[in-house]
Amino acid sequence: MERSEELFKKACEMMPGGVSSPVRAYRSVGMTPRFIEKAKGSHIYDVDGHDYIDYIGSWGPMILGHAREEVVDAICQAVCRGTSYGAPTEGEVTLCEMIIDAVPSVEMVRLVNSGTEAVMSAIRAARGYTGRDYIVKFEGCYHGHADGLLVKAGSGLMTQNVPDSAGVPKAYASKTLTAVYNDLESVEHLFKLYGDQIGALIVEPVAANMGVVLPKPGFLEGLRKITEDYGTVLIFDEVITGFRLGYSGAQGKYNVIPDMTTMGKIIGGGMPLAAYGGKREIMEMVAPVGPVYQAGTLSGNPTAVAAGIATLDILKNHPEVYAHAEHQAEKLEKTFRECIEKNNLNCVCNRAGSLLSLFFTKGPVENYQDAAASDLEAFKQYFSSMLSDGIYIAPSQFEALFVSGVHSDEDIEKTVAAIKKALIK
């Protein structure tokens, strides 16, 4: 790891923790992060020449694998026409039309640059629409790093063991109420106390930032009813689940339609692109039509839009991508469960489509507290074993494995062997 170690040492002198995003630093597993040189298909290669089977997939976007030819061609053609205009393009219209056609809740949509920006903007629009200040989120659900959402958040905050972020004004955070995922009683309690002041409730329909945690039967339906009863905007954060659990996302899979949806990752095909959308009457609150201001110089960037169009076009016309990814993920789930049963391990595997997580706790894992009880030292040993066998997974107990539509049978066989080696003592 000489080259990665050299680069990381240099990076630490110039960048906080040596990285551009916290979980990449490998601090929770006590290792040096692999600096990546290139990727293709289901494999990723570091600067020291190591080849890994990739189950991070840029944290979700690469459902078609890395450097998919059609996506790369679309990006190259767009770049040759210019990298940014700061003006409307036909591609924006095409991509927005594809999103509206695919996502049941979306009647109008605004393109932005990141999932954080999409969520921040959606909440602002919901507050503007309802005239209410409070929002409800769930413990362990991560919705980006906007100030009001770094309260009982998941993802890197769980990995770093930081429950709340410094620099967030208490007065602002006080407008965020937290409930327990999969616990409708905790939601009803908050609404009884603050119902006429709650502008929005935001939820990951399948939680994927405290590890993968599925909604219990009736949970999403219950949220839909409570928010309707109180006139609160229901927001599904589908930055991860959008276009991954199916072309219509989690809301299509579970047939529960929110008022607004935030999207990212897959809709940009690996480029920085995200979106928020929803009912027309809510979205028409957004400038320049309405009084809720939101803008961005690089929003709807033509290169990112081209990648998104190419990606969604493939997914729409080739549903077998979803079937293959889910089938391969199912093989990994089966291996995890067999190892757990055979060795009487205090572990549990959760899977939703092509997303899955192995928790080092007895389970079941149905909420933040369940996930937080995981044995992080056991995960660290598991991670190290997997990485040494060429399996590239997130360096955190609280992230998902992302299986793509191009993970081959050979990839899965090698991964199964690595799992057994890591778990069977």
Side-chain angles (χ1 to χ4, degrees), residues 222-393:
L223 297 181
R224 178 67 283 181
K225 184 178 187 307
I226 292 170
T227 51
E228 284 179 343
D229 289 347
Y230 283 89
T232 296
V233 174
L234 176 60
I235 304 173
F236 274 9
D237 182 345
E238 295 227 42
V239 168
I240 289 179
T241 57
F243 295 97
R244 174 165 285 279
L245 295 187
Y247 195 66
S248 58
Q251 58 196 264
K253 178 180 178 65
Y254 292 102
N255 196 29
V256 178
I257 312 304
D259 301 302
M260 299 187 76
T261 300
T262 61
M263 296 154 280
K265 300 194 183 287
I266 287 175
I267 71 164
M271 298 290 286
L273 182 68
Y276 67 101
K279 290 182 177 179
R280 182 174 296 273
E281 59 264 32
I282 301 175
M283 293 302 296
E284 286 183 339
M285 293 296 295
V286 178
V289 180
V292 176
Y293 195 74
Q294 179 268 313
T297 299
L298 293 175
S299 294
N301 175 270
T303 305
V305 164
I309 291 171
T311 298
L312 297 195
D313 183 64
I314 294 170
L315 291 173
K316 181 178 181 179
N317 293 297
H318 295 278
E320 66 271 16
V321 171
Y322 292 113
H324 178 81
E326 185 164 349
H327 179 61
Q328 301 297 58
E330 188 177 10
K331 293 179 185 177
L332 298 184
E333 177 192 25
K334 180 181 178 182
T335 300
F336 282 130
R337 294 186 183 279
E338 288 176 348
C339 288
I340 292 167
E341 182 177 355
K342 183 177 181 179
N343 295 274
N344 196 29
L345 301 175
N346 286 328
C347 296
V348 62
C349 179
N350 285 353
R351 181 178 69 85
S354 59
L355 296 168
L356 70 160
S357 289
L358 176 69
F359 295 93
F360 284 84
T361 185
K362 189 174 182 179
V365 176
E366 298 176 341
N367 56 43
Y368 172 86
Q369 293 299 329
D370 294 340
S374 297
D375 183 340
L376 301 188
E377 185 60 34
F379 173 83
K380 180 178 176 180
Q381 295 174 14
Y382 157 76
F383 173 84
S384 178
S385 178
M386 294 289 280
L387 190 65
S388 68
D389 280 342
I391 310 300
Y392 190 72
I393 62 175

Side-chain angles (χ1 to χ4, degrees), residues 13 21 26 28 42 47 68 72 86 92-93 148 162 199 202 228 321 397 400 403:
E13 296 174 357
S21 189
Y26 277 42
S28 65
S42 59
V47 293
R68 176 78 176 224
V72 171
E92 291 175 80
V93 178
V162 180
I202 186 166
E228 284 179 343
V321 171
Q397 168 69 92
V403 182

Side-chain angles (χ1 to χ4, degrees), residues 110-129 143 146 149 172 200 202 233 235 260-262 274-277 282-283 285-287 292-296 299:
R110 170 64 64 85
L111 300 180
V112 292
N113 299 291
S114 70
T116 292
E117 191 179 345
V119 170
M120 177 183 71
S121 303
I123 288 175
R124 184 181 300 160
R127 280 173 163 152
Y129 176 72
H143 304 290
L149 295 164
Y172 192 46
I202 186 166
V233 174
I235 304 173
M260 299 187 76
T261 300
T262 61
Y276 67 101
I282 301 175
M283 293 302 296
M285 293 296 295
V286 178
V292 176
Y293 195 74
Q294 179 268 313
S299 294

Side-chain angles (χ1 to χ4, degrees), residues 192-208:
K192 287 177 181 177
L193 293 174
Y194 302 98
D196 61 352
Q197 301 175 65
I198 298 174
L201 181 150
I202 186 166
V203 65
E204 291 180 88
V206 174

